[in-house]
C-alpha cells in the first residue's frame, strides 16, 4: 500500500518542518522545499500527489510555480 505523497513548498523552513511532522503522523509521505525553482525540479522526481504551496517565495513565486508544476504530465493537485 503506497503512501500518498505531499510536497510542501514554503520559504519558511520552520513552517515546513511543522507541516512535515503533522503529515508524517497522519501517515503521508512528505517532502519540502523552500522556493519555486526547487519545487518544480522536486515535483519531477518526487512525483507528489498533492502540493501545498505558498504564494510569496523567493526565486519564483507560487503562481509561476503552479503553472510549471501543472505542465508536468501527472495528476498533481495543488493547494
Amino acid at each position: 500500500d503506497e503512501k500518498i505523497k505531499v510536497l510542501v513548498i514554503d520559504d519558511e523552513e520552520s513552517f515546513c518542518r511543522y507541516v512535515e511532522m503533522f503529515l508524517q503522523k497522519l501517515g503521508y509521505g512528505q517532502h519540502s522545499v523552500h522556493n519555486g525553482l526547487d519545487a518544480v525540479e522536486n515535483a519531477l522526481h518526487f512525483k507528489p500527489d498533492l502540493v501545498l504551496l505558498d504564494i510569496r517565495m523567493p526565486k519564483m513565486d507560487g503562481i509561476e510555480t503552479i503553472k510549471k508544476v501543472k505542465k508536468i504530465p501527472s495528476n498533481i493537485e495543488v493547494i
Side-chain angles (χ1 to χ4, degrees), residues 5-70:
K5 295 187 285 185
V6 180
L7 176 60
V8 181
I9 309 165
D10 196 300
D11 55 323
E12 293 186 36
E13 292 182 35
S14 60
F15 176 78
C16 288
R17 282 193 305 271
Y18 174 78
V19 173
E20 281 184 332
M21 287 188 313
F22 181 75
L23 291 170
Q24 186 176 29
K25 286 182 181 185
L26 293 174
Y28 294 100
Q30 76 289 333
H31 188 72
S32 65
V33 294
H34 308 294
N35 65 67
L37 291 176
D38 290 344
V40 174
E41 182 70 25
N42 198 276
L44 285 167
H45 299 290
F46 182 60
K47 296 181 172 60
D49 300 295
L50 175 66
V51 171
L52 299 177
L53 173 66
D54 187 15
I55 295 296
R56 293 184 187 171
M57 293 184 297
K59 298 184 183 180
M60 183 188 310
D61 69 21
I63 301 299
E64 189 62 31
T65 302
I66 290 172
K67 290 176 185 175
K68 292 188 182 293
V69 167
K70 285 296 193 178

